[in-house]
Short mmCIF file of all heavy atoms in Angstrom, two decimals:
data_model
loop_
_atom_site.label_atom_id
_atom_site.label_comp_id
_atom_site.label_asym_id
_atom_site.label_seq_id
_atom_site.Cartn_x
_atom_site.Cartn_y
_atom_site.Cartn_z
N VAL A 1390 187.32 118.31 146.33
CA VAL A 1390 187.52 118.06 144.90
C VAL A 1390 187.60 116.55 144.66
O VAL A 1390 188.24 115.83 145.42
CB VAL A 1390 188.84 118.71 144.42
CG1 VAL A 1390 189.07 118.46 142.93
CG2 VAL A 1390 188.85 120.22 144.70
N ILE A 1391 186.94 116.09 143.60
CA ILE A 1391 186.99 114.67 143.22
C ILE A 1391 188.08 114.49 142.18
O ILE A 1391 188.13 115.23 141.19
CB ILE A 1391 185.62 114.20 142.69
CG1 ILE A 1391 184.56 114.35 143.79
CG2 ILE A 1391 185.71 112.75 142.22
CD1 ILE A 1391 183.15 113.98 143.37
N THR A 1392 188.94 113.50 142.40
CA THR A 1392 190.13 113.36 141.55
C THR A 1392 190.11 112.08 140.71
O THR A 1392 189.09 111.41 140.60
CB THR A 1392 191.40 113.41 142.43
OG1 THR A 1392 191.37 112.28 143.32
CG2 THR A 1392 191.47 114.70 143.25
N ALA A 1394 190.96 108.99 140.78
CA ALA A 1394 190.52 107.64 141.18
C ALA A 1394 189.03 107.43 140.93
O ALA A 1394 188.55 106.30 140.90
CB ALA A 1394 190.85 107.39 142.64
N CYS A 1395 188.29 108.51 140.75
CA CYS A 1395 186.84 108.40 140.51
C CYS A 1395 186.49 108.04 139.06
O CYS A 1395 185.39 107.56 138.79
CB CYS A 1395 186.15 109.72 140.87
SG CYS A 1395 184.39 109.73 140.52
N ILE A 1396 187.44 108.23 138.17
CA ILE A 1396 187.12 108.04 136.74
C ILE A 1396 186.61 106.62 136.48
O ILE A 1396 187.23 105.64 136.89
CB ILE A 1396 188.34 108.38 135.87
CG1 ILE A 1396 188.55 109.90 135.92
CG2 ILE A 1396 188.14 107.93 134.42
CD1 ILE A 1396 189.76 110.41 135.17
N HIS A 1397 185.44 106.58 135.83
CA HIS A 1397 184.73 105.35 135.47
C HIS A 1397 184.13 104.61 136.67
O HIS A 1397 183.63 103.50 136.52
CB HIS A 1397 185.59 104.42 134.62
CG HIS A 1397 186.08 105.08 133.36
ND1 HIS A 1397 185.25 105.80 132.53
CD2 HIS A 1397 187.32 105.18 132.81
CE1 HIS A 1397 185.96 106.28 131.52
NE2 HIS A 1397 187.21 105.93 131.67
N GLU A 1398 184.16 105.22 137.85
CA GLU A 1398 183.45 104.65 139.00
C GLU A 1398 181.98 105.01 138.85
O GLU A 1398 181.64 106.10 138.40
CB GLU A 1398 183.99 105.23 140.32
CG GLU A 1398 185.40 104.79 140.66
CD GLU A 1398 185.45 103.36 141.19
OE1 GLU A 1398 184.40 102.85 141.61
OE2 GLU A 1398 186.54 102.77 141.19
N LYS A 1399 181.10 104.12 139.21
CA LYS A 1399 179.68 104.40 139.03
C LYS A 1399 178.88 104.42 140.33
O LYS A 1399 177.78 104.95 140.38
CB LYS A 1399 179.06 103.38 138.07
CG LYS A 1399 179.51 103.55 136.63
CD LYS A 1399 178.92 104.81 136.02
CE LYS A 1399 179.51 105.11 134.65
NZ LYS A 1399 179.25 106.48 134.21
N ALA A 1400 179.43 103.84 141.38
CA ALA A 1400 178.70 103.82 142.65
C ALA A 1400 178.90 105.16 143.36
O ALA A 1400 179.97 105.46 143.85
CB ALA A 1400 179.22 102.69 143.53
N ALA A 1401 177.88 105.97 143.36
CA ALA A 1401 177.99 107.35 143.85
C ALA A 1401 177.76 107.45 145.35
O ALA A 1401 176.89 108.19 145.81
CB ALA A 1401 177.01 108.22 143.09
N ASP A 1402 178.58 106.74 146.12
CA ASP A 1402 178.45 106.81 147.59
C ASP A 1402 178.55 108.26 148.06
O ASP A 1402 177.87 108.67 149.00
CB ASP A 1402 179.57 106.01 148.25
CG ASP A 1402 179.58 104.54 147.83
OD1 ASP A 1402 179.18 104.26 146.69
OD2 ASP A 1402 179.99 103.70 148.63
N CYS A 1403 179.42 109.02 147.42
CA CYS A 1403 179.62 110.43 147.81
C CYS A 1403 178.33 111.23 147.65
O CYS A 1403 177.92 111.95 148.56
CB CYS A 1403 180.74 111.04 146.98
SG CYS A 1403 180.46 110.93 145.19
N ALA A 1404 177.70 111.10 146.50
CA ALA A 1404 176.47 111.86 146.24
C ALA A 1404 175.36 111.45 147.20
O ALA A 1404 174.54 112.27 147.61
CB ALA A 1404 176.02 111.66 144.79
N ILE A 1412 176.84 117.08 144.34
CA ILE A 1412 177.72 116.20 143.58
C ILE A 1412 176.96 115.64 142.38
O ILE A 1412 175.86 115.11 142.53
CB ILE A 1412 178.25 115.05 144.46
CG1 ILE A 1412 179.01 115.62 145.65
CG2 ILE A 1412 179.13 114.11 143.64
CD1 ILE A 1412 179.54 114.58 146.63
N GLN A 1418 183.47 111.07 135.23
CA GLN A 1418 183.68 111.09 136.69
C GLN A 1418 182.59 111.93 137.33
O GLN A 1418 181.80 112.55 136.64
CB GLN A 1418 185.05 111.69 137.02
CG GLN A 1418 185.15 113.19 136.70
CD GLN A 1418 186.31 113.87 137.42
OE1 GLN A 1418 187.35 114.10 136.84
NE2 GLN A 1418 186.11 114.20 138.71
N PHE A 1419 182.58 111.93 138.67
CA PHE A 1419 181.64 112.79 139.38
C PHE A 1419 182.34 114.10 139.74
O PHE A 1419 183.57 114.15 139.85
CB PHE A 1419 181.14 112.09 140.65
CG PHE A 1419 180.12 111.02 140.37
CD1 PHE A 1419 180.46 109.84 139.73
CD2 PHE A 1419 178.79 111.21 140.73
CE1 PHE A 1419 179.51 108.86 139.45
CE2 PHE A 1419 177.83 110.23 140.47
CZ PHE A 1419 178.19 109.06 139.83
N TYR A 1420 181.54 115.16 139.94
CA TYR A 1420 182.10 116.47 140.26
C TYR A 1420 181.37 117.09 141.45
O TYR A 1420 180.17 116.87 141.63
CB TYR A 1420 181.93 117.43 139.08
CG TYR A 1420 182.69 117.04 137.85
CD1 TYR A 1420 182.05 116.43 136.78
CD2 TYR A 1420 184.06 117.31 137.75
CE1 TYR A 1420 182.74 116.08 135.64
CE2 TYR A 1420 184.76 116.95 136.60
CZ TYR A 1420 184.10 116.35 135.56
OH TYR A 1420 184.79 116.00 134.43
N ILE A 1421 182.12 117.91 142.21
CA ILE A 1421 181.54 118.67 143.32
C ILE A 1421 181.40 120.12 142.89
O ILE A 1421 182.35 120.72 142.38
CB ILE A 1421 182.45 118.58 144.57
CG1 ILE A 1421 182.44 117.14 145.11
CG2 ILE A 1421 182.01 119.58 145.63
CD1 ILE A 1421 183.48 116.88 146.18
N CYS A 1432 181.52 113.31 152.08
CA CYS A 1432 181.83 112.60 150.83
C CYS A 1432 183.22 111.97 150.90
O CYS A 1432 183.42 110.85 150.47
CB CYS A 1432 181.73 113.54 149.64
SG CYS A 1432 182.79 115.00 149.79
N ALA A 1435 183.11 108.83 152.70
CA ALA A 1435 182.29 107.79 152.07
C ALA A 1435 182.90 107.17 150.83
O ALA A 1435 182.52 106.07 150.43
CB ALA A 1435 180.92 108.39 151.72
N CYS A 1436 183.85 107.84 150.22
CA CYS A 1436 184.39 107.36 148.93
C CYS A 1436 185.26 106.12 149.13
O CYS A 1436 186.27 106.17 149.83
CB CYS A 1436 185.21 108.45 148.26
SG CYS A 1436 185.95 107.88 146.71
N PRO A 1437 184.90 105.00 148.49
CA PRO A 1437 185.64 103.75 148.70
C PRO A 1437 187.02 103.73 148.06
O PRO A 1437 187.83 102.87 148.38
CB PRO A 1437 184.72 102.69 148.07
CG PRO A 1437 183.90 103.43 147.08
CD PRO A 1437 183.75 104.83 147.61
N VAL A 1438 187.29 104.66 147.14
CA VAL A 1438 188.60 104.66 146.48
C VAL A 1438 189.43 105.89 146.85
O VAL A 1438 190.43 106.19 146.20
CB VAL A 1438 188.45 104.54 144.94
CG1 VAL A 1438 187.82 103.21 144.58
CG2 VAL A 1438 187.65 105.69 144.36
N ALA A 1439 189.01 106.61 147.88
CA ALA A 1439 189.76 107.79 148.37
C ALA A 1439 190.07 108.79 147.26
O ALA A 1439 191.20 109.27 147.12
CB ALA A 1439 191.04 107.35 149.08
N ALA A 1440 189.05 109.09 146.47
CA ALA A 1440 189.23 110.02 145.35
C ALA A 1440 189.02 111.47 145.74
O ALA A 1440 189.29 112.37 144.95
CB ALA A 1440 188.25 109.65 144.23
N ILE A 1441 188.52 111.71 146.97
CA ILE A 1441 188.11 113.07 147.33
C ILE A 1441 189.08 113.71 148.32
O ILE A 1441 189.43 113.10 149.33
CB ILE A 1441 186.67 113.07 147.90
CG1 ILE A 1441 185.73 112.39 146.90
CG2 ILE A 1441 186.22 114.50 148.20
CD1 ILE A 1441 184.29 112.28 147.36
S1 SF4 B 141 182.24 107.75 145.97
FE1 SF4 B 141 184.30 108.22 145.17
S2 SF4 B 141 184.52 106.89 143.39
FE2 SF4 B 141 182.33 106.90 143.93
S3 SF4 B 141 181.47 108.49 142.63
FE3 SF4 B 141 182.03 109.46 144.56
S4 SF4 B 141 184.11 110.25 144.25
FE4 SF4 B 141 183.70 108.81 142.63
#
Side-chain angles (χ1 to χ4, degrees):
V1390 180
I1391 298 177
T1392 63
C1395 177
I1396 290 177
H1397 303 313
E1398 291 284 342
K1399 289 289 172 196
D1402 302 30
C1403 56
I1412 301 178
Q1418 68 162 101
F1419 284 70
Y1420 295 102
I1421 292 170
C1432 56
C1436 177
V1438 296
I1441 305 178

